Structure formats: structure tokens, C-alpha cells
Amino acid sequence: MKLDRRTTTTDAHLLVRETLRISANLASSCPPSVLPLSEETRSQSYGLIEEQFVDASLRLICYEEIDGRRFKYVAQNDGSKTNFRKSSNSIRAVSLQSRRAPADELMDFIRSYVVPEGFPDSVSPSYVPYMTWRALKHFFGGAMGVFTTQALLHSVGVAKSQSMPGAVAINWIIKDGSGRIGKMLFSRQGKKFDYDLKQLRLSGDLLMELGAGVELATAAAPHLFLPLACAANVAKNVAAVTSTSTRTPIYKAFAMGENIGDVTAKGECVGNVADLLGTGLSIIIAKRNPSLFTTFALLSCGYLFSSYREVKSVVLRTLNRARFTVAVESFLKTGSVPTLQEGNMMETVFNFPWCKDGPVVLGSRFKDAFQDANSFYDVGPVFEKERYVVSYNPLKGNIYAVLKDKAKSDDILKAAFHAHVLLYILKSSKHIQVSNEYTSGDRSTLLPTSADLQAHVTESYSMVSALYEPFKSKAKEQGWVMSDSLLNPGRARICEQYR
């Protein structure tokens, strides 16, 4: 009786084994499309084959995932009864997803050109709004290019009827040459492209629009083609230097890893696509002969608004003068430092050329900071242990921070912080007004006495001693990078002092 049971059990195992082997052979002879569709069924079936039937004709090797799509690799035996690893076998890849819709394939293709790999995790959150406004700016810029080129060609055509073709070619060469000279001369600005990045970027776009407007004016005054075209080309080339010089720091702010090249390439691709779309639209509009100046004015407004929003959407971690001013003023008023997003949004990105940068002058000349020797001797002892001296010159309405020759990075930051603290105290004073707030009339009633000024400086020193370290700590907590390199201090330093 025991023998019969053992025999029955053995026969049952052999029957199950043979049935599964035949099923595996049939599955290997079918195309991938008719393999089992269930993910659970696949894993169970191949698990049995892999674990129990090494000599079967189909064996699961591994799974693979690429760009969200999964594949499995299976090996097919040649049917011999030798060891599976030594027998000749082929490898097949089987997709675990059904074929994607053409629209999805197209979207993936577009994404590969316009967004960095790993998006959105590979870039900062401000990348999307920046690229949106950048695309709009290039769209309007491409559209305007058609009309300005049309105006230039019209002007050349008029000039051609009045002069020889050689003169026209010479005029065009002079126009391009003057632009290149302007580009070289403006490149000497150097460091300004780092510490006033947003301000220069917006100023460059304004200059680009000015150049486009001057090009358009050649249609109204073709006899002035050469001077107008030269001026326009200088303006546009200077704007091009600004755009190129500020591009890398902006893209660097978006890159979350070592992918600055990828971010730059995709950003430029978006700009070029938008430029081509704008050019195509303007060609269609130009065929209807619209008002040249009205169309240009509308496109120019769109370009400038997009440029402003583009610059405002950039979130930088470093503290230049504008963002440092925002951070210190907020800290003195509320006791907290604004976040990266808040600080960048509060930053002033445009000032009229005739306006002063601000009432704080960092690293100034000694002769600018003090109106006479006594004004220096009054406040000098307060800063005996510091590597800077801060004072207020009421005749010029500015706060001056004079640096000593041993001043280091932290000393420069502290001097700038101290200057803003003194400015805050003076603004709070009921009898002192700061930075060109004087009106016509007798200004003597607004000027502080030496004793008042010395008292304010002493008060500011006490505040700085208590608040400077907490300010730095809170700024770092918010993610700000504390560095003096973007505060652009002047180069003057006090080398020796005599009493």
C-alpha cells in the first residue's frame, strides 16, 4: 500500500513537470505579442521555470527599466540536454507595456528638446516661469526682427537709387563693424555682469528695443541710413554681450546638480523655437501691410513686459547690493530675513540712469566719507577694534563705509550691515533726512550736530554688536549665500592712521 502511494505521487510530479515543459515550449514559439498579458502571471510562470526547470527552452534573465518603460530579458535554449549556461542560446527583450499612443511619443520627443533630463527634479521650481517668459520674449523679438529688417532693406533700396551699389555695400559693412566695436568696448564692464545680473539683463533688453526702434526709424529717414544703422547696431551688440554674459549665472541657478550644460542647451532651444514661431507669425502679418509703427509698438510692449517678468522670475541665492539691502531692512523691521523667493521678488531690477544707486557707499574714498578732519576723529575711536569705519556725510546725504587695509570678507559684510543699521537709525531720527530728500530752501535745519552724529554712530555700533551674528545665522537658514564678492566694494583702503 505504501509503494502504491509513492508510485502515484511520483507519477503526479512527472505529469505536472511534463505539462509545464510543453507549455514553456509553446510559449517560446509564439511571438511576444501573444505571451501572457498579466504582470502577475508573467512573474509567476517565469519564476517556476527559473527555479524548477533549468533545462526548459525559455528562461527569465532579468528585468530592465528605462525612462519609465519596463522590459524583461529571456534566454531561449537550443533544445539540447546539456548544461543551460554552456548551451548556445539567444536573448530576447520583451516589453511589459503596450505600444504607446503616437501623441505620447510626440510629446516625449518634444520634451527631449525643451526640458532638461530628469525634469522637474533636475531644476529649481523657478525654471518653468522663467522659461515661459523667455519664450514669450523671444517670440515677440522674432516677430519684430522681420519688421526692422524690412525697414533696413527699404532704406538700402532707397539709398541704392541715389548712389552706386558699392557705396551701399560699404555702408552695410560699416554698420556691422561699428556694432562689433561697441561689443568689445562694453565687455570691459566685467564684474558688473555678476553682481548686477538682473539689472543689466533688463537694461540689455531695453537697449535691444532701443536699437530695434532706431532701425525702424531708417524707413522714415533713409538718407540717414548709415548713422542710424550704426547706432542701432552698437546698441544691439551691447545688448547681445549683456545677454550672453548673464545667461550662464541664470542657468546655473536653475541647475540642481551637475547639469548646467543640459539646462543651457534646452533653454537656448526654447528661445530659438519661440523666435522662429514669432518670425513666421510676423511674415503672415506683414503680407497684410499693417501700420509698421503701430505693429512694432504692440510687439515691443509684449517684448518688454515679458523681459521684465523673465528677470523677476529668476531666484538667485547670492546677496548682491539690492538683495542685501532687502534682507537687512526686513531684518531690522521685522526681526526675520526674507526667503529666497521673497527676497528676489522684492529686489529692484530697474532704476533710471539718472537715479542714484542708493544712500550706502561701500569701500568709499576717505575724502568722500568725511567733510573735515574732526568728523573723522569724532567717530574713529568707536571703530578702533574694527577693520572699517562708518560715517554719515550730511553734505552729500550718504552713508559711507571706509575699509581698512586688513579688511577680510566678513569685515566687508559687517561694514555693509553696519552702514544699513546707521541708515535705519538716521531715517528713524526726527530731525535728519537721508539721501537726496532735501528740498529747496535752507538745509541747515536738517544737518545734525557733531554730537548727534557721534551718538548715532555709537548707537549703531551697539546694535551691530548684538544683531550681526543673528542676521547671518537667519540668512543662512533661509538659504542665502553670504559673500562679499557681489557687494562690489570700492577699491580704496585706509593703510595707516595717525592721531
Side-chain angles (χ1 to χ4, degrees):
M1 189 69 178
K2 293 180 181 179
L3 180 60
D4 293 339
R5 286 179 181 175
R6 187 181 301 111
T7 304
T8 304
T9 303
T10 304
D11 292 340
H13 279 296
L14 290 174
L15 179 61
V16 172
R17 178 186 178 95
E18 187 65 14
T19 302
L20 290 177
R21 188 184 67 79
I22 295 173
S23 299
N25 288 336
L26 291 174
S28 64
S29 62
C30 297
S33 59
V34 299
L35 288 177
L37 298 178
S38 170
E39 177 71 19
E40 182 178 358
T41 304
R42 289 192 188 97
S43 61
Q44 291 177 352
S45 300
Y46 291 132
L48 288 172
I49 295 172
E50 181 181 18
E51 294 174 5
Q52 300 181 22
F53 303 102
V54 177
D55 60 341
S57 62
L58 195 64
R59 178 189 177 108
L60 176 66
I61 301 177
C62 66
Y63 287 93
E64 180 184 64
E65 184 173 340
I66 176 171
D67 295 333
R69 301 183 64 184
R70 297 194 70 195
F71 297 85
K72 65 181 179 183
Y73 287 89
V74 293
Q76 184 173 0
N77 196 319
D78 60 359
S80 65
K81 299 298 183 179
T82 58
N83 187 290
F84 181 81
R85 294 180 181 273
K86 295 182 179 180
S87 61
S88 60
N89 55 80
S90 60
I91 297 176
R92 286 193 300 161
V94 181
S95 175
L96 297 181
Q97 283 88 13
S98 59
R99 185 174 179 83
R100 305 183 67 188
D104 294 336
E105 296 285 352
L106 178 61
M107 289 303 298
D108 283 346
F109 177 77
I110 294 175
R111 287 193 195 97
S112 67
Y113 277 90
V114 299
V115 296
E117 185 176 342
F119 176 86
D121 297 330
S122 60
V123 293
S124 64
S126 59
Y127 176 81
V128 173
Y130 172 81
M131 294 308 304
T132 301
W133 291 112
R134 176 175 172 79
L136 282 174
K137 184 185 78 171
H138 278 268
F139 176 82
F140 289 114
M144 286 186 298
V146 172
F147 294 100
T148 56
T149 302
Q150 181 182 2
L152 286 172
L153 293 176
H154 174 73
S155 302
V156 173
V158 174
K160 186 176 180 179
S161 63
Q162 299 174 354
S163 60
M164 297 180 63
V168 175
I170 292 174
N171 287 348
W172 200 272
I173 293 172
I174 293 175
K175 173 186 77 72
D176 290 343
S178 62
R180 291 186 176 89
I181 293 174
K183 181 187 293 186
M184 290 187 295
L185 293 177
F186 189 69
S187 297
R188 68 183 298 271
Q189 297 298 319
K191 190 66 176 176
K192 288 185 178 180
F193 295 121
D194 295 315
Y195 58 74
D196 279 340
L197 185 152
K198 294 184 182 180
Q199 292 77 2
L200 281 175
R201 181 62 172 257
L202 183 59
S203 299
D205 289 337
L206 291 172
L207 200 58
M208 180 69 75
E209 282 305 288
L210 177 63
V214 174
E215 283 183 344
L216 200 68
T218 59
H223 58 286
L224 297 176
F225 169 79
L226 184 58
L228 291 177
C230 287
N233 222 31
V234 169
K236 296 180 75 171
N237 275 274
V238 169
V241 171
T242 304
S243 177
T244 303
S245 302
T246 57
R247 179 178 58 195
T248 300
I250 290 177
Y251 286 140
K252 184 178 179 181
F254 296 135
M256 298 300 291
E258 300 299 326
N259 61 335
I260 180 65
D262 188 22
V263 173
T264 302
K266 301 305 168 52
E268 294 305 297
C269 180
V270 170
N272 290 331
V273 170
D275 190 276
L276 289 174
L277 292 175
T279 301
L281 176 63
S282 62
I283 291 175
I284 297 174
I285 296 175
K287 290 182 178 180
R288 300 184 178 183
N289 295 321
S291 172
L292 190 60
F293 292 97
T294 301
T295 305
F296 178 83
L298 294 175
L299 293 174
S300 182
C301 289
Y303 180 89
L304 293 177
F305 179 74
S306 300
S307 176
Y308 175 78
R309 295 301 304 171
E310 174 197 28
V311 171
K312 291 292 289 184
S313 66
V314 179
V315 177
L316 301 174
R317 299 168 58 87
T318 51
L319 285 171
N320 66 347
R321 285 195 180 187
R323 293 186 290 276
F324 187 85
T325 299
V326 169
V328 175
E329 289 182 351
S330 176
F331 177 77
L332 294 176
K333 292 178 182 178
T334 66
S336 61
V337 176
T339 63
L340 294 177
Q341 187 74 30
E342 293 170 345
N344 279 270
M345 288 301 297
M346 295 167 64
E347 177 187 3
T348 302
V349 297
F350 176 73
N351 287 316
F352 290 102
W354 52 86
C355 294
K356 295 181 63 178
D357 292 336
V360 173
V361 182
L362 183 62
S364 66
R365 297 287 303 276
F366 183 87
K367 64 179 182 180
D368 295 327
F370 302 99
Q371 52 187 334
D372 53 48
N374 290 331
S375 62
F376 170 69
Y377 289 126
D378 289 340
V379 300
V382 179
F383 300 95
E384 186 174 0
K385 296 181 179 180
E386 303 294 339
R387 295 176 178 175
Y388 64 88
V389 179
V390 174
S391 183
Y392 168 63
N393 189 336
L395 296 179
K396 297 185 177 181
N398 290 328
I399 306 293
Y400 292 93
V402 181
L403 301 175
K404 299 180 181 179
D405 59 341
K406 295 182 180 180
K408 304 299 181 181
S409 177
D410 189 67
D411 298 313
I412 296 174
L413 286 170
K414 190 174 182 179
F417 181 79
H418 197 144
H420 282 284
V421 171
L422 181 58
L423 176 64
Y424 176 78
I425 293 174
L426 291 177
K427 284 184 175 180
S428 302
S429 176
K430 60 183 180 180
H431 66 280
I432 298 177
Q433 297 184 17
V434 182
S435 185
N436 290 342
E437 294 181 358
Y438 303 119
T439 56
S440 58
D442 185 12
R443 303 200 310 186
S444 61
T445 58
L446 301 175
L447 301 179
T449 63
S450 298
D452 291 332
L453 181 58
Q454 188 173 7
H456 288 312
V457 171
T458 304
E459 180 185 359
S460 68
Y461 186 83
S462 299
M463 289 182 62
V464 170
S465 299
L467 298 177
Y468 178 60
E469 291 300 329
F471 167 75
K472 287 202 306 179
S473 177
K474 291 187 177 183
K476 291 180 180 178
E477 289 176 1
Q478 294 293 354
W480 292 106
V481 176
M482 303 292 290
S483 173
D484 69 295
S485 60
L486 296 183
L487 295 181
N488 187 32
R491 296 189 297 272
R493 300 291 186 270
I494 297 178
C495 300
E496 299 180 25
Q497 286 183 237
Y498 299 94
R499 295 186 180 278

